[in-house]
Amino acid sequence: MPGKRSSRKNVPRFYCPHCERRLWRLGSPKYFLFYTGALEIQQNVANMPRQSAIELAAKGVYVDNNVWIEEFLCGEHGKLWMKLCRKPDGKLNVSLATNQDWRKTTRTINPETPNPSVGEFTYRMSRQASTKLIYSRD
């Protein structure tokens, strides 16, 4: 009975919300979501009593290690940023990341918007393909 105790069968599989094809993880870092107010903590963290939420809010920003944004690849739609939520039973709930989610992540800016410190010309030129980038063995 080979593979009886294999953990490979327990690997979660994620599917594209647009075409239902399988998504592949790209190995990007996890960007965890954070909450600042007691009401926000209580609403977003599962089974959080009101008093505990008030105490956590008094300490400062609360980073939730059970909710994060990660990059995936769909064969048809390209790169997608998904919000993953780990439930108390250990299962993962997956949805598309929204702009609201990006505002609540640690160490990030929204990848859909260009860097404001980069000029328009530089940004446009960085998006163009160049023949100099093609490696040829002559």
Side-chain angles (χ1 to χ4, degrees):
M1 286 194 235
K4 180 178 178 184
R5 294 185 184 167
S6 173
S7 62
R8 190 77 185 137
K9 62 185 172 189
N10 296 329
V11 173
R13 295 183 180 207
F14 306 104
Y15 297 94
C16 180
H18 305 295
C19 64
E20 296 300 320
R21 292 177 71 183
R22 181 156 180 210
L23 292 175
W24 300 95
R25 279 187 159 152
L26 293 179
S28 68
K30 296 178 179 179
Y31 298 109
F32 294 100
L33 273 66
F34 67 88
Y35 309 111
T36 52
L39 183 61
E40 191 177 22
I41 293 170
Q42 189 178 6
Q43 288 174 348
N44 293 308
V45 179
N47 301 325
M48 177 68 68
R50 182 176 165 268
Q51 189 63 34
S52 297
I54 291 171
E55 290 172 7
L56 285 173
K59 290 180 182 178
V61 176
Y62 173 72
V63 177
D64 190 0
N65 291 328
N66 293 321
V67 182
W68 68 91
I69 294 178
E70 193 173 339
E71 189 176 20
F72 288 85
L73 179 70
C74 173
E76 188 173 327
H77 295 98
K79 291 182 181 180
L80 298 172
W81 289 92
M82 304 297 283
K83 176 183 172 185
L84 286 83
C85 305
R86 181 175 289 123
K87 299 298 177 189
D89 62 354
K91 296 193 178 187
L92 291 173
N93 184 16
V94 181
S95 61
L96 277 173
T98 62
N99 285 337
Q100 183 70 17
D101 296 330
W102 277 107
R103 287 188 209 111
K104 292 290 180 186
T105 57
T106 56
R107 306 173 300 148
T108 60
I109 59 170
N110 189 343
E112 302 299 323
T113 58
N115 186 344
S117 66
V118 174
E120 183 180 337
F121 177 78
T122 305
Y123 179 74
R124 215 174 40 241
M125 291 299 117
S126 71
R127 298 293 173 234
Q128 290 182 353
S130 173
T131 57
K132 294 178 184 177
L133 298 176
I134 298 173
Y135 178 73
S136 62
R137 291 184 174 185
D138 292 329

